[in-house]
Amino acid sequence: MRTQTLSVVVFRLAFTLIALAGLTPQAHAESALLAKVRDGDDVKVVLLGTSLTDNGTWPASLQTWLTSESPGPGTVTVVNRAAGGEASDHGLAVQTPAALLDNPDCVFIEFSMNDAATSKNITLQQSEDNLNAMIDAFVAQNPDVIIVLQTMNNLPPDTSPFSPRVNLNGYYQIYRDVAAARGAILIDHYPNWLDLYTNDLATWQSYMEDAVHPNPLGQDQVLFPELQAVLGPPAAPPSVSDTLIFQDDFDGAGGSPLDGTTPDVTQGSTVWVADAEYEADGSALINTENPSRRAYLTLGNLIDDNRGNADALYTLSATINVPPGTTGIWEAIGFWNNDTPLENFGTGGGELGGQPRGTAWMLRRDNAQIRVFRGVGLGGTLTESTASPNNVAGTLDFKVVLDLTDWNGTDNWGSVTYSAKLSTDSTFTEIAAGELDAANSTFRAVGLGGGTVGAQVSSFELTKLSLAPPELADFSYDGTTGNAEVRIIGAANTRYKLVRADDLDFATPDQDPLPLTGATVGGLDGGGVITDPGGNATVQFNLGTGASAFIRAEEQP
């Protein structure tokens, strides 16, 4: 396939927040292993070691993580050859010959814990000799093999009924020295465990199964984060600059009106305009005489002036608890197209038959169903989703994401994505997404709306997100078939939209872009592709044999 460069206009926004827990490991450059995985090659990793590997949960975590980092089409395979209770003599005589049959691209080795056991009678010199012999065997088979040496956890003075390890760190030092001498990757877990043992013994004990073997929680919180950090951080995401437009935690007093209060963060002098049913602590009272209530913040030109700009990306989010089993209508968040919204999202003959005054709304019913709608004058076109985990009672986090980057004022009015999650979950589930297809869509206010359902709103936030274009790499084009491929390196779990451009300048994209279709990984939606947790996606598409009509390509040297 003839390789050329390509300019592709790429933009979209992230709507998943990933929370990391545990110790903060030291950051390292991308390792050879992670680079090979991210190149999409077939990668086989073999693990040698003791029960700390044989019975550990971290090998499965390694498999999952490396697989997620691969853009395809290659596969990642992790083979665990470790054996509980064994030391480096077994590693050399039994585990290494078996592993050579796997023809690995990468080998993890850890035997210090059992080499240090007095019952094994393995001296420091023997431990070093065995380690070098194992490395020699793999290098002889594959000079490019990647060797990863690990020190593991510390031990308390008394590890009954296990054999004493009187010089454990001395055996660990062998691995540090050999790694430095032979250019192997070293993952030195020992300092982290020792620091935890010294400064937070209770937590250390909660992470240990039997004073020797870390339990799954300990591996997740201490061992695996260090392993990930050493092998390399995720691919650098595009730079993001968030501008907080409105934010409120509703920390006012119950019984006091929300109306007229100032959000924790507000642009200018904008204050809440709210019906009496909304109180300053975010509670929404039941009032059957006023079934359509609203609370809103006016936007002025905060959004209207940014249509079509590359950074016109907005996230509206809220945390809402609608009690189950009550009788009523909705509690919702969204955008209005009116400076002074008259009611929750407009009736004009009923929610299903009238002319909704909202532009993009996400509504949760008291029976735990979620509905969304978009655009104005659509006759109440509603899309309902009852898919798990959203058709459940409890406190939910909502996001309405507005993308106006490709607004052209003629036939494209931007798009909206709706997501939700239980507040106890870590990731959002997309409920629906689509184009804003009403010519008079405007964005004059944001806020809350509801019916006779009593609810509690604990947070509300509108953010403008500036997302720089991701890196594009490895573009290839076959002029005979028209088949092309490009790799995206961007933010993790992010949907990007790819369009053909009429030049090589990101600043002046084609005013009528043609979406690309087809992808080897991720899910396509309207020409978009979702990156994996490593921020990578490989997209295959067909430009046709007349590709020069759409792009200007240059031969790479």
Side-chain angles (χ1 to χ4, degrees):
M1 182 177 284
R2 190 160 52 98
T3 301
Q4 302 170 321
T5 60
L6 170 67
S7 172
V8 182
V9 179
V10 184
F11 43 76
R12 204 62 174 181
L13 61 152
F15 52 85
T16 299
L17 178 64
I18 299 176
L20 300 177
L23 299 177
T24 302
Q26 182 181 358
H28 294 259
E30 182 184 63
S31 68
L33 172 60
L34 203 57
K36 188 174 182 65
V37 169
R38 286 174 173 165
D39 282 342
D41 298 337
D42 288 327
V43 178
K44 181 169 286 186
V45 180
V46 176
L47 313 179
L48 308 186
T50 68
S51 58
L52 297 176
T53 298
D54 181 30
N55 300 325
T57 57
W58 69 264
S61 299
L62 178 65
Q63 171 75 75
T64 300
W65 175 52
L66 292 180
T67 298
S68 72
E69 292 285 345
S70 173
T75 59
V76 178
T77 305
V78 175
V79 180
N80 194 345
R81 295 286 184 186
E86 301 296 346
S88 61
D89 53 352
H90 184 272
L92 179 60
V94 179
Q95 295 182 34
T96 295
L100 289 170
L101 297 177
D102 298 318
N103 194 21
D105 301 288
C106 176
V107 181
F108 282 64
I109 304 175
E110 62 85 12
F111 287 103
S112 298
M113 180 65 75
N114 286 348
D115 278 8
T118 57
S119 60
K120 294 296 182 180
N121 295 314
I122 294 179
T123 66
L124 290 171
Q125 188 62 55
Q126 287 171 333
S127 179
E128 182 177 354
D129 291 344
N130 289 341
L131 177 59
N132 276 307
M134 285 185 276
I135 295 173
D136 289 341
F138 291 109
V139 171
Q141 182 185 66
N142 176 11
D144 296 323
V145 68
I146 300 164
I147 302 295
V148 180
L149 305 183
Q150 294 191 97
T151 73
M152 307 303 276
N153 49 280
N154 72 311
L155 298 176
D158 181 12
T159 57
S160 302
F162 299 98
S163 176
R165 276 85 168 171
V166 295
N167 187 21
L168 178 59
N169 192 43
Y171 286 85
Y172 283 154
Q173 188 60 43
I174 292 170
Y175 278 57
R176 301 182 187 113
D177 294 342
V178 170
R182 306 200 59 165
I185 297 171
L186 173 69
I187 307 178
D188 196 353
H189 299 290
Y190 179 77
N192 288 336
W193 285 106
L194 183 60
D195 179 71
L196 190 64
Y197 180 84
T198 303
N199 297 301
D200 190 354
L201 181 60
T203 299
W204 185 94
Q205 290 171 334
S206 72
Y207 288 164
M208 278 294 160
E209 192 74 28
D210 50 19
V212 173
H213 302 86
N215 60 25
L217 181 61
Q219 294 176 62
D220 288 343
Q221 296 297 310
V222 182
L223 188 152
F224 195 67
E226 180 68 17
L227 182 149
Q228 285 184 297
V230 172
L231 291 182
S239 59
V240 177
S241 176
D242 295 346
T243 301
L244 201 57
I245 300 175
F246 297 122
Q247 188 272 324
D248 205 338
D249 290 333
F250 302 101
D251 50 5
S256 300
L258 179 64
D259 185 59
T261 62
T262 302
D264 298 328
V265 176
T266 184
Q267 297 293 320
S269 58
T270 302
V271 298
W272 282 105
V273 179
D275 290 332
E277 287 76 15
Y278 281 105
E279 298 187 348
D281 64 351
S283 57
L285 303 179
I286 296 176
N287 184 351
T288 57
E289 295 181 1
N290 181 24
S292 296
R293 60 172 182 264
R294 80 277 189 266
Y296 64 88
L297 298 161
T298 55
L299 286 168
N301 294 323
L302 288 172
I303 288 184
D304 283 1
D305 289 346
N306 289 283
R307 295 173 183 171
N309 287 356
D311 61 348
L313 309 172
Y314 302 89
T315 298
L316 179 64
S317 60
T319 299
I320 301 175
N321 181 21
V322 177
T326 54
T327 301
I329 308 172
W330 303 98
E331 192 68 34
I333 66 167
F335 294 84
W336 273 284
N337 70 319
N338 194 307
D339 285 315
T340 55
L342 299 179
E343 47 206 24
N344 57 353
F345 59 90
T347 54
E351 65 172 283
L352 294 177
Q355 298 291 313
R357 294 183 176 90
T359 300
W361 276 90
M362 186 170 193
L363 310 96
R364 190 190 187 198
R365 204 171 188 176
D366 58 338
N367 65 358
Q369 292 178 344
I370 293 176
R371 287 186 175 183
V372 302
F373 71 89
R374 53 190 167 83
V376 180
L378 302 178
T381 301
L382 295 168
T383 302
E384 183 174 323
S385 172
T386 59
S388 179
N390 307 294
N391 192 30
V392 294
T395 303
L396 263 71
D397 298 332
F398 294 93
K399 282 194 179 182
V400 180
V401 176
L402 196 63
D403 179 0
L404 306 180
T405 54
D406 54 354
W407 182 301
N408 61 23
T410 304
D411 57 1
N412 187 328
W413 309 99
S415 61
V416 62
T417 302
Y418 305 85
S419 302
K421 72 176 181 68
L422 286 168
S423 293
T424 53
D425 292 341
S426 59
T427 58
F428 281 86
T429 296
E430 183 177 304
I431 303 300
E435 299 296 321
L436 288 166
D437 50 5
N440 60 342
S441 292
T442 55
F443 311 96
R444 311 300 300 167
V446 292
L448 306 162
T452 56
V453 177
Q456 181 75 36
V457 183
S458 57
S459 69
F460 182 90
E461 183 176 299
L462 176 64
T463 302
K464 178 179 178 181
L465 196 99
S466 297
L467 185 64
E471 179 185 349
L472 302 175
D474 305 328
F475 172 72
S476 59
Y477 169 66
D478 189 327
T480 302
T481 64
N483 292 330
E485 180 177 288
V486 67
R487 183 162 70 98
I488 299 170
I489 305 173
N493 302 308
T494 301
R495 175 178 285 108
Y496 290 99
K497 187 173 184 179
L498 285 75
V499 295
R500 295 178 181 134
D502 60 358
D503 55 41
L504 298 179
D505 184 0
F506 276 107
T508 55
D510 191 338
Q511 294 302 303
D512 188 18
L514 302 174
L516 308 175
T517 60
T520 59
V521 297
L524 275 177
D525 181 8
V529 60
I530 300 174
T531 56
D532 62 25
N536 296 277
T538 299
V539 182
Q540 294 179 330
F541 47 93
N542 191 286
L543 287 170
T545 54
S548 59
F550 304 108
I551 62 171
R552 289 197 312 222
E554 298 177 349
E555 291 282 355
Q556 290 183 339

